[in-house]
Amino acid sequence: MIELLKKLEPLNLEKTKFIGYENLDASAKVLGLYNKEGIGVQHLTGTGFVIFDQTPFYAISGGQDSDKGHLIFNQVEIEIIDVRKDVIPGYFIHEVNLSEQELRIGDLVDLRVCADFRYNSSLNHSALHITWQTILNNVGHYVEELGSKLNDERYQLQFCNDEMITPQLVLKAVEQINSKTIPEKIKSKIFFVTQEEAEAKNYLFEFTKIAPGEMVRMVEFPGIVIEPCSGTHIDSTEELKKIWFMNFTKTNKAVIIDMTTNPAVAKNYFKTKLEDRLKEIESQISKALEAGMRDSFDEQLKVARNLVEANNYIAIKELNEIGLNITALINKFLKNLEQENIKQFLSQDFQPKIIKDKFYYIETSNENYTNKLLISKASLLANENPEKVIILANQGQTNSNAVLVCNQKANFNVKLWFDEKLADKTGFKGGGGPLIIQIFSPAKEDFKTIKSALEE
Ligand SMILES: [Zn+2]
C-alpha cells in the first residue's frame, strides 16, 4: 500500500527529524497527510499515511523492521502499522488506520514506540553484528554478505555460499560469543565518520545507502566488530545474556543462518524441534516394546536426551537421525510381526456359526486383527466353502471391524446386503464390491449388530 506514495511529487515540506536514537516518546506535528491512494489531503480518517515534523519511530532499513507503537491523539491510541523512509528521501512515512478519528494538517500528536519491541530488536541487531564478524573470523577469509533480517524475535544472516561455513563452524562461533564476548561486557560505541574516512579505513558499507556529503554512522563493539549501521543497538554485550543458533540452510547460492537472543523464542523453537521429537521417539519405542520387540534403545535414548539439552541446530539434526534409525528398526520389526501374525492367523482353526445354512460366521476379539488380516483368512475359507458367505467379525478395544467375502457360486451380493441391513443403522463405513467388502466402525458395540442382521 505504501508503494503508492512513490507516485508523489517532490514534497514541499520540512524533512522529518529522526529523534529515535535518544527517544521512544515524542510530541509531533502533522505536516503531511495522504489517503490510501497516496493523494495529499487536508484531513484524514481511516487508512492513510502521515508525515510528522519529527519521529522516534525507526523506519525499516538495514534489515531491521520498523518500530511498533502508537500515535495518541484526543486520548485515542492509534497503531502505527509501518514506517518507511526509503519511499521519499528525507521523509519518514507512517502508515496508520485512524478508523473514525480525524487528523488534520497542523494537529499535535504524541508518538510512542513500543519499548519492548525496540529493545528486543536492538538485542538481535547487536547480536547480528557480533555473530557475523565472529563467523567470518572462524572462516578466515572474507565472505560476501547477501543481506540480513531481524525483528524483535529473531535475526538472520545471509552469506554467499562458502564451503567453509558449516553448522559446526557456526556452533563454534556461537560458543565463543556465549562464553567470551558476552561475559566480557564489551561496551558499544556509536560515532560518525566522513565517507572519505570510511573508505580510507576500509569500513565495509556495501549495504549502506548514504547521500552525498552525509556522514557515515558507525557502530563498534571494540575488539569484536566495526561496521557502518543506522540501526538501533544495545550498550553492552552483557545485555545479550545468551544467543541461540536455530537453523542452517544451504542452497547453491546462499548460506542462511537463523539465530535469536530471545529466550522465549528459542525455548519455543527448540521445544517443538527437540522435546516434542524426543516424545515421539519415546512413544514409538514404548509401543514397539509393548508389541514384543526385544531390542534395547537405552543407548540411543541417552544420547537423544542429551541432545535435547543442547538446544542448537546440530542437536536437531542428530536427534532426527537417531529418530529415523529407530523408526527404521521398529518398522522392520513390525513388518515381520505382521507377517508372523498373518501366517499364524491363517493356520488357526476357528469354530464358525452357520447361520441360515448360508452364512459362515466367525467372531474374533483381538486389537491387532486388521481387515487386511481378516481378508486373507476369509478368502481361504471362501475357496473351501464356495456356496457360503464368509463373515469374519472382530471386536477391538474401542472399535469393530469385519469383512464379508464370497465366491460367485454363493450367488450373493455382500455390498447390497451391507447397504440394506447395516449401513444406516450402525457406525460401520466401508467399501468393496458384490463379492468382497471390508467395514470398520469406531463403536465397539457395532460388532454385535452383524450377527443379529445375519439372523434376521
Ligand atoms: Zn547495526
Side-chain angles (χ1 to χ4, degrees), residues 335-352:
K335 212 176 164 193
N336 286 337
L337 185 70
E338 192 189 25
Q339 275 163 357
E340 279 301 308
N341 280 341
I342 291 178
K343 233 162 93 185
Q344 204 260 336
F345 186 74
L346 289 179
S347 64
Q348 209 171 321
D349 277 329
F350 293 100
Q351 285 307 309

Side-chain angles (χ1 to χ4, degrees), residues 322-342:
I322 290 176
L324 289 175
N325 285 338
I326 290 176
T327 304
L329 280 174
I330 289 177
N331 284 346
K332 201 173 156 196
F333 166 78
L334 292 176
K335 212 176 164 193
N336 286 337
L337 185 70
E338 192 189 25
Q339 275 163 357
E340 279 301 308
N341 280 341
I342 291 178

Side-chain angles (χ1 to χ4, degrees), residues 64 125-126 128-129 217 219 227-233:
Q64 180 173 342
H125 196 140
S126 305
L128 177 82
H129 286 292
R217 183 176 187 263
V219 56
E227 275 189 285
C229 184
S230 65
T232 64
H233 309 92

Side-chain angles (χ1 to χ4, degrees), residues 24 64 67 113-126 151-152 232-236 238-241 261:
L24 295 178
Q64 180 173 342
D67 279 331
V113 173
C114 169
D116 281 348
F117 181 91
R118 167 67 77 82
Y119 186 65
N120 290 333
S121 300
S122 301
L123 284 170
N124 280 335
H125 196 140
S126 305
N151 56 27
D152 59 328
T232 64
H233 309 92
I234 51 170
D235 295 332
S236 161
E238 183 188 13
E239 295 169 56
L240 294 174
K241 295 192 180 81
T261 60

Side-chain angles (χ1 to χ4, degrees), residues 222-433:
I224 305 291
V225 61
I226 179 163
E227 275 189 285
C229 184
S230 65
T232 64
H233 309 92
I234 51 170
D235 295 332
S236 161
T237 58
E238 183 188 13
E239 295 169 56
L240 294 174
K241 295 192 180 81
K242 185 174 174 174
I243 63 167
W244 283 270
F245 167 28
M246 297 197 289
N247 195 31
F248 184 94
T249 316
K250 204 162 201 173
T251 67
N252 286 339
K253 286 184 184 160
V255 182
I256 297 164
I257 301 161
D258 290 292
M259 311 269 310
T260 187
T261 60
N262 189 320
V265 171
K267 198 179 165 204
N268 204 3
Y269 184 82
F270 290 117
K271 191 185 171 324
T272 17
K273 299 279 179 182
L274 289 166
E275 283 179 40
D276 294 357
R277 183 79 178 101
L278 177 66
K279 276 184 203 147
E280 269 174 39
I281 295 171
E282 285 172 335
S283 111
Q284 217 189 354
I285 290 174
S286 66
K287 276 184 196 155
L289 296 178
E290 269 171 40
M293 196 168 179
R294 296 265 179 270
D295 301 45
S296 163
F297 293 100
D298 292 353
E299 275 306 306
Q300 288 102 311
L301 278 176
K302 203 173 138 192
V303 177
R305 285 176 187 134
N306 282 334
L307 288 172
V308 169
E309 301 300 312
N311 285 350
N312 65 53
Y313 168 80
I314 292 173
I316 295 171
K317 238 187 145 187
E318 287 178 0
L319 185 66
N320 275 333
E321 263 164 41
I322 290 176
L324 289 175
N325 285 338
I326 290 176
T327 304
L329 280 174
I330 289 177
N331 284 346
K332 201 173 156 196
F333 166 78
L334 292 176
K335 212 176 164 193
N336 286 337
L337 185 70
E338 192 189 25
Q339 275 163 357
E340 279 301 308
N341 280 341
I342 291 178
K343 233 162 93 185
Q344 204 260 336
F345 186 74
L346 289 179
S347 64
Q348 209 171 321
D349 277 329
F350 293 100
Q351 285 307 309
K353 286 193 178 75
I354 307 295
I355 301 169
K356 289 180 176 170
D357 202 32
K358 184 73 180 171
F359 303 118
Y360 189 106
Y361 175 79
I362 293 172
E363 280 182 359
T364 58
S365 170
N366 188 319
E367 187 64 11
N368 298 319
Y369 287 178
T370 60
N371 278 341
K372 192 181 161 196
L373 188 74
L374 298 181
I375 281 174
S376 54
K377 182 75 177 174
S379 304
L380 270 183
L381 291 170
N383 287 335
E384 290 164 10
N385 306 278
E387 315 285 333
K388 299 270 192 289
V389 180
I390 316 295
I391 302 102
L392 263 62
N394 179 56
Q395 189 173 38
Q397 277 164 16
T398 57
N399 47 35
S400 320
N401 59 312
V403 300
L404 288 81
V405 178
C406 63
N407 270 337
Q408 298 243 346
K409 281 185 191 161
N411 196 20
F412 191 84
N413 187 329
V414 291
K415 175 83 168 64
L416 211 59
W417 180 87
F418 170 71
D419 288 344
E420 281 172 3
K421 300 272 185 176
L422 277 184
D424 292 344
K425 296 169 201 160
T426 64
F428 276 117
K429 293 269 179 301

